[in-house]
Amino acid sequence: MNEKVSVIIPIYKVEKYIRRCIESIAAQTYHNLEIVLVDDGSPDKCPEICDEYAKNDSRIKVIHKINGGLSDARNAGLKVFTGDYVYFLDGDDYVKNTLIEIALANAVATASELVIFNYERVDEADNLLSTSNFRTGIYEINEESRIDYIINTLSKYVTGWEAWNRLYKADLIRKNNLFFWDNKLIFAEDFGFSLNFALHANKISCIPDALYHYLIRKDSIMSQAANESRLSASLALSKLMEEKIAASFKNSNLYKDFPVLFYSIIYEQLRGLTLDNYKKSISLISDKDYFNKQINRVIKKFGAMFNYYGVIRGIVALLHCIFLKRKMEKQNIRILGIYRKVWKINEVFTNNKSKIFSKRRIFLIGSEDFSNLGEHHIAISEIEYLQTIFPEYAITEITASEYSVVHHILPFIIKRRDLICMPGGGDRGNANSHAVKIQRDIMMKYRNNRIVIFPQVINYDSSKDGINQLGKDQRIIKKCKNLTVCVREQHSYELAKQYFDCNVVLIPDMVLYSNYNSLQFVRKGAILLLQNDIEGVLSKEDKIFIEKVVQQQTRNIQFNDIQLISNISIFDRKEVVHTFIRKLAQTELVVTNRLYGMLFCAITRTPCIALFEHNYKIDGVYEWISKLGYIMIIRNCSELEEAVHKLSRIDKKEYDNTSILEGFAVLTKQLRNNVVGLK
């Protein structure tokens, strides 16, 4: 291969990230590159940085221009590029060094005009948040299938629509004069370009490789709910598409059936409407005549809607448009809400279909699928534990967010013989805990089932509300015929025995069931794993002091946290958690005030100093790992320097969890003795 690939990088106010971005593309294993850096009037040091790299790499050219926005910057690159293929890279992201080589090889081998690849979402600490999972394969597109591809593949995000996870054949862009529509007018310039490209492409390849690192910054996380500006912007995109189709495809199905394309463009904005923002969003549409005209056209195209959307989606879409036309806002919101709920229910049961119809079943209900890595690892360890002791049983996991949707249907599925487990790690006594609310609901609905609540903390305060919460739990638990409540430290064990009329078991935290002894890395640097969320108790001065002390051992220091900035899907859970675990396993020292930060270090043999004020919950859990010489607890920052020196002198770091596993034996024995009841 000797094709030239032009890489266009729009740059604006990304001084903190631009060096990593440029270096990641300059270091590609494929060398025949033209790298176009478009300085979009950036007010920071980006212009100087771009010029610096251009002096040292002949493949790099720089365009300096006044600020015009992302679309304008990319278009500036499209005016000057000379390559056989085009690739777009955003200035705050970075790529794997094999991206161009892999994507180009596929483009040449398959003769595809577009090669799509997967990407990883990462935060500013390089924590993996998720990996896209596009439907791979070759997409052959002709005039008969083009609308179907746009509606059921592109618009449904089956292969994404971003500009930066695609390698484009340059001839198609030049021949059809493709460019990015103004991002100040339309709601998604990447989506618009992908729609425009899809009008002309005949062969598209989607490969499984995740080659792009998409940075999620705290200030870049935006609500996905529709609002009036995005609804108007989606109409602007629809107009541009209609004009393009009318000019270039007048005698095609694209022109004849444009209303179904219109609906696919605005659907994401319409389906996010709620009773709170419905009237405002509709009333502020910039071009109501165009909107109403297209809605009427959709209704008249009911045959085409059924053809492209299917019967169920087609009926929902038509009802949606009829209610919009008649201004029946409550009915519209209701039907969209029902459709979303049915879709979610279908997703849950489709993903668990084989397990649900198994004869021997265990349900793990209420595991959290939010942003805390500790909670996710608890679920991983619980499933690992259940699979080990009951290998012949199918384990169906219903997460906390899924339970809110499917709880009305579960009573028709769960039978009395099924074992129900609920996740640990929580704080029983916290009235606002989502986990506790789910547990109470489960105990009331399935009190005749065998139920196990994995280890948690018992913590009712002496306030009136605390006393009421305890009384409520006591009444619910007393009605359960076969309930086992597990706790993870002695204080909670004594309270649970005193409070609850059920079987109480003291076992280790579930995370300690896992073992990463197989991980072998050269350790370097330190991680300060400190709370950044509202639970954080360390002052800024404390963190500066901790950093100064650790710098005496290593200058390679990273700040991190186990509370990530976005929720984690259970489909990404293992990869996200294990990537974080591997990061700790490559570290020579961790200082943390996170309980699960300490436990992660224990199971990865990572030297760790845990900074905790006196807390029976922490102390009780620490008892299970206190014999591990590489885990130390200190009570305040003044003890840190001495602890660092002590840990630096420890050579042997082994995680012998034999005694810890023995701690699970009492629960395992009880469950196995009752296994006949599960059959």
Side-chain angles (χ1 to χ4, degrees), residues 117-130:
F117 44 86
N118 283 285
Y119 65 91
E120 295 177 345
R121 294 169 68 250
V122 297
D123 64 17
E124 294 192 72
D126 282 335
N127 295 316
L128 178 65
L129 302 175
S130 66

Side-chain angles (χ1 to χ4, degrees), residues 638-679:
S638 64
E639 302 174 29
L640 180 61
E641 189 168 3
E642 182 182 353
V644 170
H645 289 313
K646 283 184 179 180
L647 276 186
S648 66
R649 295 193 293 268
I650 297 175
D651 295 324
K652 191 176 182 181
K653 304 175 183 71
E654 294 181 355
Y655 180 55
D656 181 2
N657 65 339
T658 305
S659 61
I660 295 174
L661 291 179
E662 290 174 355
F664 293 97
V666 59
L667 176 62
T668 301
K669 183 178 180 181
Q670 287 184 15
L671 291 177
R672 282 179 172 161
N673 285 342
N674 291 324
V675 74
V676 174
L678 292 173
K679 295 181 180 179

Side-chain angles (χ1 to χ4, degrees), residues 416-557:
R416 184 171 178 177
R417 67 176 182 272
D418 296 327
L419 171 64
I420 299 175
C421 298
M422 290 181 279
D427 192 345
R428 179 157 295 281
N430 182 355
N432 296 318
S433 168
H434 188 46
V436 169
K437 292 177 181 177
I438 291 176
Q439 289 177 7
R440 287 173 175 169
D441 192 53
I442 292 292
M443 287 188 289
M444 287 189 289
K445 287 181 177 176
Y446 307 100
R447 59 174 178 256
N448 293 321
N449 284 71
R450 180 177 291 98
I451 300 174
V452 174
I453 301 177
F454 281 117
Q456 54 188 229
V457 170
I458 307 300
N459 183 30
Y460 298 93
D461 59 41
S462 57
S463 67
K464 182 177 180 181
D465 182 63
I467 295 170
N468 289 337
Q469 296 302 323
L470 173 58
K472 187 173 185 178
D473 278 339
Q474 287 175 324
R475 290 190 294 273
I476 293 172
I477 288 173
K478 189 173 184 179
K479 294 179 180 179
C480 292
K481 295 185 177 180
N482 197 337
L483 171 67
T484 297
V485 173
C486 301
V487 292
R488 60 188 183 186
E489 37 77 26
Q490 187 65 35
H491 182 77
S492 290
Y493 178 73
E494 293 170 359
L495 290 179
K497 294 288 285 185
Q498 173 187 341
Y499 292 153
F500 302 141
D501 183 13
C502 67
N503 183 38
V504 179
V505 176
L506 174 63
I507 64 174
D509 189 283
M510 291 307 302
V511 166
L512 294 174
Y513 189 80
S514 298
N515 190 330
Y516 293 91
N517 276 336
S518 61
L519 294 180
Q520 299 292 334
F521 296 108
V522 175
R523 296 182 183 273
K524 60 180 180 180
I527 292 179
L528 306 186
L529 202 60
L530 306 173
Q531 290 169 306
N532 289 320
D533 59 15
I534 57 175
E535 297 178 17
V537 294
L538 289 177
S539 67
K540 182 179 179 181
E541 291 72 23
D542 287 336
K543 292 180 180 180
I544 292 173
F545 176 78
I546 292 171
E547 185 176 10
K548 286 182 177 179
V549 171
V550 176
Q551 280 178 345
Q552 297 173 18
Q553 179 169 327
T554 177
R555 291 286 176 179
N556 181 7
I557 298 175

Side-chain angles (χ1 to χ4, degrees), residues 179-229:
F179 56 89
F180 286 85
W181 286 318
D182 190 350
N183 59 286
K184 297 174 184 176
L185 299 177
I186 64 174
F187 81 97
E189 71 286 337
D190 285 14
F191 183 41
F193 191 80
S194 290
L195 282 169
N196 207 348
F197 196 91
L199 295 177
H200 305 279
N202 295 313
K203 194 172 188 180
I204 295 173
S205 174
C206 184
I207 60 178
D209 310 66
L211 304 173
Y212 192 91
H213 301 286
Y214 176 58
L215 179 65
I216 302 294
R217 291 181 275 170
K218 285 186 178 180
D219 58 0
S220 69
I221 295 178
M222 299 168 59
S223 170
Q224 298 302 307
N227 54 52
E228 63 277 0
S229 61

Side-chain angles (χ1 to χ4, degrees), residues 352 354-364 387 390-397 418-419:
N352 293 286
S354 60
K355 299 175 184 178
I356 288 176
F357 290 103
S358 175
K359 290 184 179 180
R360 298 180 176 183
R361 307 183 302 180
I362 298 173
F363 288 86
L364 177 62
Q387 287 174 335
F390 293 127
E392 69 275 30
Y393 284 81
I395 301 167
T396 297
E397 180 182 10
D418 296 327
L419 171 64

